[in-house]
């Protein structure tokens, strides 16, 4: 059934490889700039997430694509065609909202058929397409129920079916799983990913949930204060953040602020504000110039903990254990260094089982496991 709906989806000929493009897009509300000069292209058939904290402009960006808002400056294109002045119902996009936005007085079947009737599809087409959409989201037996008779997860499936039945070029997902409990959210993540792969339709999702974005997306745009800080694959965003904000927002990390003390062909020596000397490898984003302000990011899983001083003294610091949290497969440690810095460490549960509160210990990591970042990210 998924293949049938996929065949019906529009295949507009276009010179662009992007389904959605934003060029220098600004949005201003009452003198406050919510979106600041966004440039991005969303490729045909990809699962693209816009990720960021509350108030960063991500939902406004989605609304600009959907047509619920018009840009104050710049241009939004879908399949190479400008959407300036095009109302939402004439755009080849459909939105799935966090609140589901189902019609409470209509049955599941009628909710899904609503858009098709507005488009004046024939009765036979409506019957076929609604049946396919229900089958696609595994809700065939719920056609005659009303939204109030459904669980949150079931309502989300119907909202997805209603969006897909209209055969959009792009499906917009506004915090689609935000109203679900953790277990159901995990299940729906798998279903959403499977659905995307089966259909090959372009999905654009807005979320504040880093794990959700990392697990579902082909690429992610991380937003902060109305700007896009970085666009990349989940592994690029996690392993090679370009700014301190991205490093701190995506997963957990330890950030050490300081300045470049010296540079040679293979290493940068950073002295932190607390007096630690940290060695890191140069990167394309930060190859190091003496006295540059930098932030060194070290992921918790990259740090080793030992009760005895290791042989290598590179990035090795003494401290004491002040907190332990057992998380099943992993243990979360907080270590306070002699410098006063608190460092978060994540290790498999089987490692360091004898470490206990107030123990004196040593933490260390390789120079390649610390990432130098410019303290003042380049403006967009």
């Amino acid at each position: 059934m998924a293949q049938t709906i996929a065949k019906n989806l529009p295949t507009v000929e276009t010179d662009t490889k992007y389904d959605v493009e934003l060029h220098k897009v600004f949005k201003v509300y009452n003198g406050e700039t919510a979106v600041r000069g966004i440039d991005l292209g969303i490729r045909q058939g990809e699962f693209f997430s816009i990720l960021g904290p509350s108030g960063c402009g991500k939902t406004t960006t989605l609304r600009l694509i959907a047509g619920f808002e018009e840009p104050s400056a710049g241009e939004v294109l879908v399949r190479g065609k400008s959407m300036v002045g095009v109302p939402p119902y004439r755009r080849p996009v459909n939105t799935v909202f966090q609140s589901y936005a189902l019609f409470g007085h209509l049955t599941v079947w009628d909710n899904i058929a609503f858009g098709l009737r507005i488009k004046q599809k024939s009765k036979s087409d409506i019957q076929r397409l609604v049946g396919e959409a229900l089958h696609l989201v595994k809700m065939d037996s719920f056609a005659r129920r009303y939204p109030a008779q459904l669980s949150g997860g079931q309502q989300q499936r119907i909202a997805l079916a209603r969006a897909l039945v209209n055969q959009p070029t792009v499906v917009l997902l506004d915090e689609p799983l935000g109203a679900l409990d953790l277990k159901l959210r995990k299940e729906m993540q798998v279903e959403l990913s499977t659905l995307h792969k089966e259909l090959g339709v372009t999905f654009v999702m807005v979320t504040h949930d880093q794990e959700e974005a990392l697990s579902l997306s082909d690429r992610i745009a991380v937003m902060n204060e109305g700007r896009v800080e970085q666009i990349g694959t989940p592994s690029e965003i996690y392993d090679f953040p370009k700014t301190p904000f991205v490093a701190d927002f995506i997963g957990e990390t330890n950030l050490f602020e300081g300045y470049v003390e010296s540079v040679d062909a293979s290493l940068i020596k950073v002295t932190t504000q607390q007096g630690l000397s940290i060695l890191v490898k140069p990167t394309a984003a930060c190859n190091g110039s003496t006295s540059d302000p930098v932030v060194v990011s070290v992921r918790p899983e990259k740090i080793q903990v030992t009760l005895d001083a290791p042989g290598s003294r590179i990035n090795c610091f003494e401290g004491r254990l002040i907190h332990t949290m057992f998380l099943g497969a992993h243990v979360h440690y907080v270590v306070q260094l002699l410098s006063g810095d608190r460092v978060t460490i994540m290790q498999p549960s089987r490692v360091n089982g004898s470490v206990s509160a107030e123990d004196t210990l040593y933490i260390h990591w390789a120079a390649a496991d610390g990432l130098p970042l410019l303290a003042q990210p380049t403006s967009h």
Side-chain angles (χ1 to χ4, degrees), residues 61-361:
T61 302
L62 197 77
R63 290 175 63 82
L64 288 164
I65 298 170
F68 301 130
E69 304 283 353
E70 284 290 333
S72 304
E75 191 171 30
V76 177
L77 296 91
V78 177
R79 284 285 174 96
K81 293 183 178 180
S82 174
M83 293 291 108
V84 173
V86 179
Y89 62 89
R90 292 199 179 279
R91 298 189 182 199
V93 303
N94 271 98
T95 305
V96 177
F97 300 97
Q98 181 179 348
S99 61
Y100 317 132
L102 299 175
F103 299 113
H105 66 290
L106 297 180
T107 64
V108 163
W109 199 95
D110 287 325
N111 262 282
I112 297 172
F114 185 84
L116 298 174
R117 286 173 172 154
I118 294 293
K119 292 181 177 179
Q120 299 182 333
K121 295 284 187 180
S122 69
K123 287 185 179 180
S124 60
D125 279 347
I126 292 173
Q127 192 73 34
R128 174 177 56 83
L129 290 169
V130 172
E132 289 178 358
L134 281 166
H135 186 76
L136 192 63
V137 296
K138 304 179 180 67
M139 293 290 286
D140 310 67
S141 61
F142 294 83
R144 296 303 164 196
R145 293 196 187 183
Y146 289 87
Q149 297 172 310
L150 305 177
S151 68
Q154 291 167 342
Q155 290 186 50
Q156 184 59 275
R157 288 186 178 93
I158 299 307
L160 276 166
R162 188 175 63 180
L164 292 167
V165 79
N166 288 301
Q167 303 164 16
T169 298
V170 181
V171 176
L172 305 176
L173 304 158
D174 186 7
E175 300 274 7
L177 310 181
L180 305 178
D181 62 52
L182 179 60
K183 185 174 185 297
L184 187 54
R185 192 159 68 242
K186 297 287 187 187
E187 292 173 3
M188 284 299 295
Q189 284 177 12
V190 174
E191 292 192 21
L192 202 57
S193 178
T194 301
L195 199 59
H196 174 257
K197 287 181 173 66
E198 288 178 351
L199 292 174
V201 185
T202 302
F203 278 19
V204 182
M205 180 177 71
V206 156
T207 182
H208 66 276
D209 187 315
Q210 300 96 322
E211 183 182 333
E212 194 167 276
L214 290 170
S215 63
L216 288 173
S217 311
D218 296 311
R219 288 190 304 145
I220 300 168
V222 182
M223 288 190 67
N224 180 34
E225 296 183 347
R227 296 183 175 89
V228 173
E229 294 250 341
Q230 185 172 349
I231 298 175
T233 65
S235 61
E236 287 169 348
I237 294 287
Y238 185 83
D239 292 326
F240 303 105
K242 291 183 176 179
T243 69
F245 173 83
V246 175
D248 192 35
F249 188 74
I250 303 296
E252 286 191 78
T253 196
N254 297 284
L255 298 177
F256 300 92
E257 296 183 19
Y259 64 93
V260 175
E261 184 171 310
S262 61
V263 183
D264 63 26
S266 61
L267 289 174
I268 299 173
K269 182 179 181 181
V270 175
T271 299
T272 74
Q273 294 174 352
Q274 283 72 35
L276 300 179
S277 289
I278 298 176
L279 295 178
V280 293
K281 297 281 190 181
T283 65
C286 180
N287 53 21
S289 296
T290 303
S291 299
D292 274 355
V294 295
V295 176
V296 176
S297 170
V298 188
R299 296 290 186 190
E301 66 272 18
K302 301 291 188 181
I303 302 176
Q304 304 301 312
V305 179
T306 57
L307 290 171
D308 301 313
S312 172
R313 302 301 293 178
I314 292 178
N315 300 330
C316 178
F317 308 102
E318 184 180 340
R320 63 186 179 89
L321 182 65
I322 60 173
H323 184 72
T324 303
M325 185 180 294
F326 179 72
L327 300 174
H330 293 85
V331 178
H332 177 286
Y333 298 113
V334 178
V335 174
Q336 183 163 323
L337 306 183
L338 297 182
S339 63
D341 292 284
R342 289 193 174 189
V343 179
T344 299
I345 301 153
M346 190 77 73
Q347 296 216 322
S349 299
R350 65 182 182 276
V351 178
N352 298 317
S354 61
V355 176
S356 58
E358 302 301 324
D359 274 348
T360 296
L361 40 73

Side-chain angles (χ1 to χ4, degrees), residues 9-41:
L9 291 167
T11 54
V12 179
E13 290 298 324
T14 175
D15 293 333
T16 179
K17 65 180 178 179
Y18 298 114
D19 267 351
V20 178
E21 296 169 82
L22 278 71
H23 297 304
K24 296 286 186 282
V25 171
F26 287 80
K27 182 61 182 177
V28 180
Y29 296 102
N30 300 320
E32 295 291 329
T33 306
V35 172
R36 301 171 182 270
I38 287 182
D39 281 297
L40 61 83

